[in-house]
Amino acid sequence: MTAPIHGGSYRWRSAIFWLALLGGASLIPLLIALPAAPPARGYWLEVGAGLGLLGLGLMVVQAVTSGRTTCVAPQFGADNLLHFHRHLGLLATALVLAHPITLLLAEPSFLRYLDPRSDWLRALSLWALLGALLLLTISSLWRQRLGLSYEVWRLLHGGLAAFLLVGGLGHALMVGHYLHQFWQQALIVAWIGLGLVLIVASRLVRPWLNRRRPWEVVALERERGDCWTLRLKPLGHAGLKFRPGQFAWFTLDESPMSMQQHPFSLSGSAERSEIRFTASVVGDFTASLGEVEPGTRAWVEGPMGSFKADPDPEVGLFMVAGGIGITPMLSMLRTWRDRGERRRILLIYANPTLADVTFHDELEQLKAGLDLEVIHVLEEPPEGWTGATGQVDAELLRACLERFAEPAQYLCCGPEPLMDLVESTWRRRGVDWRRVYTERFEVV
Amino acid sequence: MKHYRLHKHIQRAVELLVLVLILLVLLFAGRA
């Protein structure tokens, strides 16, 4: 599913709409409880119970904002949505923990719920739920420090989330103080079921459906800057509809159900059925790319991300790329060349040496079909180099901004320090942050 | 994780949302 085109900048209206929608969604268990609520007990007892119901609602919202829900994820950009998910997750954890704490402070006799001598199954379940909540939060905050691979973490995260949803639902139904009527129980089961469906869909159903959409590696190309480009063609299906700048999850040579998925920017033209991605050799997976044989089966899940250019060709594009961060921008340039779309583009492209400039020659060729200016910045320039040297700095950005006329959109992709510098410089120079697009993957 | 402008806005939005939700829980508890 591709996202509808919706202008070229972030919109307050859309943000408020989604916030209200998600806020309303988290209140659903409370709303189900309210019409048939029994007479109120003490104030803090009711606060404690209310926090539990709110926590349950927030867990479903967390499933919606997990970053893989295709109708939600492409609207915002995966990193923005994951940032939302992460921050809301932390606060939701605090609220869920506040549920037993408030209840115990208000009514110490509730301690029996956690006492195995009173009811061992109930106590064990509640302790397991508390443990699962803490494990889910801790494993997400410190995945790398705990030495968890992304695949193991993702499996754990989905499993724990599903357990918390089912366990939370069971707890609410068995306590039954608020949810005692049949219609209430049916509604809450349906609501929690929706969260479960989303979790199961993203990890099992979507990959399973994806098995009917295989791809084949048709070529492997060595690029400058220690990079590999993989070209894939669809086998028996129409391929992938994406907007240049988006990324997808790739699985190579295994079943589509494999947890070994890797996110890469689509670097080819959106006008062609063949897709490509280019990766620099940084980890185990990318190091093994050079050994991939043509004919290898592949699976693609996506497209994702909102790193997209304004559809209006009158809007100029000020791009800054560092190293392999060029790939989403290259996809845009290739697409516009194929469409014969001429737009003002200024690209600052930073690399350590001339030999590292991936797609150097192609960028030169692209200038012929596009209104494109490329400013290469080299840390270690070759002898006789007359272009920019060193790092991209505020001075260079300022000089380029001065001669780049509005309306414009600002895109940056590259290493963290470059993105920090570019964004803060643009901000200081008065660029509207809603016109700035960046993509950062390191969220978990 | 760096908090640049947009992420700061997202963080504030989440905090505002949770604050409103807590207020509604307090209202819910005070309905009697």
Side-chain angles (χ1 to χ4, degrees):
Chain A
M1 186 193 289
T2 44
I5 297 165
H6 64 132
S9 65
Y10 298 105
R11 299 253 171 96
W12 287 113
R13 211 171 45 184
S14 149
I16 291 166
F17 167 77
W18 278 98
L19 212 57
L21 195 71
L22 294 174
S26 26
L27 288 171
I28 283 183
L30 268 171
L31 292 175
I32 294 174
L34 205 54
R41 303 161 288 182
Y43 180 70
W44 288 105
L45 265 184
E46 296 301 324
V47 171
L51 286 173
L53 290 165
L54 178 61
L56 205 56
L58 282 171
M59 282 195 250
V60 177
V61 167
Q62 284 297 83
V64 176
T65 60
S66 72
R68 295 285 187 107
T69 312
T70 38
C71 62
V72 181
Q75 305 278 347
F76 300 100
D79 64 335
N80 298 329
L81 192 66
L82 285 179
H83 195 71
F84 181 91
H85 179 80
R86 177 190 162 99
H87 205 59
L88 186 62
L90 282 174
L91 292 174
T93 301
L95 286 179
V96 174
L97 289 177
H99 161 62
I101 292 170
T102 314
L103 284 176
L104 285 175
L105 287 175
E107 181 54 64
S109 71
F110 276 137
L111 206 55
R112 71 180 186 279
Y113 273 76
L114 295 169
D115 185 351
R117 289 167 301 183
S118 163
D119 180 338
W120 69 269
L121 189 59
R122 181 174 66 187
L124 201 70
S125 314
L126 291 178
W127 280 114
L129 280 171
L130 276 173
L133 180 67
L134 292 175
L135 185 60
L136 181 130
T137 309
I138 290 168
S139 64
S140 303
L141 283 178
W142 296 295
R143 173 180 78 79
Q144 290 180 349
R145 212 175 292 176
L146 293 170
L148 286 173
S149 72
Y150 176 78
E151 290 77 24
V152 170
W153 170 82
R154 187 169 178 237
L155 200 64
L156 184 76
H157 200 71
L160 289 173
F163 174 68
L164 280 167
L165 271 176
V166 174
L169 172 68
H171 173 59
L173 288 177
M174 284 164 104
V175 171
H177 181 75
Y178 279 104
L179 306 170
H180 51 88
Q181 297 202 4
F182 177 74
W183 67 267
Q184 290 179 305
Q185 295 171 349
L187 277 179
I188 198 80
V189 168
W191 181 238
I192 301 294
L194 175 74
L196 275 175
V197 164
L198 287 175
I199 293 173
V200 173
S202 107
R203 284 168 176 77
L204 297 173
V205 178
R206 202 162 334 120
W208 191 73
L209 290 175
N210 224 357
R211 83 197 188 288
R212 278 186 254 151
R213 299 176 61 82
W215 295 74
E216 186 184 274
V217 175
V218 284
L220 179 72
E221 287 158 10
R222 179 102 209 192
E223 306 280 3
R224 286 163 77 147
D226 208 11
C227 292
W228 289 99
T229 291
L230 249 62
R231 289 166 41 197
L232 286 83
K233 70 166 187 197
L235 288 181
H237 58 94
L240 188 71
K241 276 206 184 328
F242 66 97
R243 283 164 58 80
Q246 290 193 290
F247 70 93
W249 294 84
F250 292 89
T251 306
L252 280 175
D253 200 23
E254 291 174 65
S255 100
M257 308 299 283
S258 165
M259 293 303 285
Q260 289 279 348
Q261 277 190 324
H262 302 270
F264 289 106
S265 288
L266 294 148
S267 58
S269 165
E271 291 294 305
R272 306 189 181 188
S273 65
E274 181 185 286
I275 60 168
R276 7 176 125 192
F277 68 90
T278 304
S280 63
V281 176
V282 282
D284 291 348
F285 177 72
T286 45
S288 67
L289 279 181
E291 292 150 28
V292 174
E293 299 279 340
T296 301
R297 198 56 66 92
W299 313 94
V300 179
E301 188 185 329
M304 303 256 166
S306 71
F307 191 81
K308 300 178 282 208
D310 195 307
D312 181 357
E314 291 302 308
V315 174
L317 274 306
F318 188 150
M319 303 171 160
V320 182
I324 195 62
I326 190 73
T327 50
M329 296 166 193
L330 188 71
S331 174
M332 293 177 190
L333 300 179
R334 283 169 164 166
T335 305
W336 293 329
R337 175 205 52 205
D338 286 358
R339 290 180 187 159
E341 204 174 301
R342 284 188 78 87
R343 34 198 311 172
R344 289 177 298 123
I345 307 155
L346 173 64
L347 167 65
I348 299 179
Y349 187 14
N351 279 285
T353 69
L354 190 57
D356 291 316
V357 183
T358 319
F359 307 116
H360 178 275
D361 299 343
E362 188 173 350
L363 284 171
E364 290 303 310
Q365 291 161 11
L366 280 165
K367 284 181 185 171
L370 296 166
D371 182 4
L372 168 69
E373 178 186 350
V374 184
I375 299 175
H376 288 285
V377 182
L378 299 180
E379 270 175 57
E380 296 165 31
E383 237 170 87
W385 175 257
T386 53
T389 58
Q391 308 271 350
V392 172
D393 58 18
E395 186 52 35
L396 174 67
L397 291 168
R398 188 189 56 75
C400 292
L401 268 178
E402 274 175 8
R403 61 187 182 82
F404 198 73
E406 292 275 351
Q409 195 188 12
Y410 304 82
L411 305 171
C412 180
C413 189
E416 290 276 332
L418 174 78
M419 301 203 359
D420 291 344
L421 173 93
V422 171
E423 270 191 75
S424 58
T425 308
W426 277 343
R427 199 158 64 229
R428 275 201 304 277
R429 306 300 304 182
V431 170
D432 185 342
W433 63 270
R434 285 170 296 179
R435 306 291 295 167
V436 173
Y437 276 72
T438 58
E439 192 97 284
R440 301 181 188 229
F441 286 98
E442 292 298 323
V443 178
V444 178
Chain B
M1 182 78 205
K2 298 284 192 314
H3 293 164
Y4 60 113
R5 188 65 162 264
L6 180 59
H7 282 189
K8 271 189 185 154
H9 284 309
I10 292 172
Q11 225 157 301
R12 294 293 161 274
V14 170
E15 283 154 13
L16 182 72
L17 176 70
V18 169
L19 201 67
V20 170
L21 293 175
I22 291 174
L23 280 174
L24 288 171
V25 167
L26 295 179
L27 270 176
F28 167 85
R31 72 193 186 283

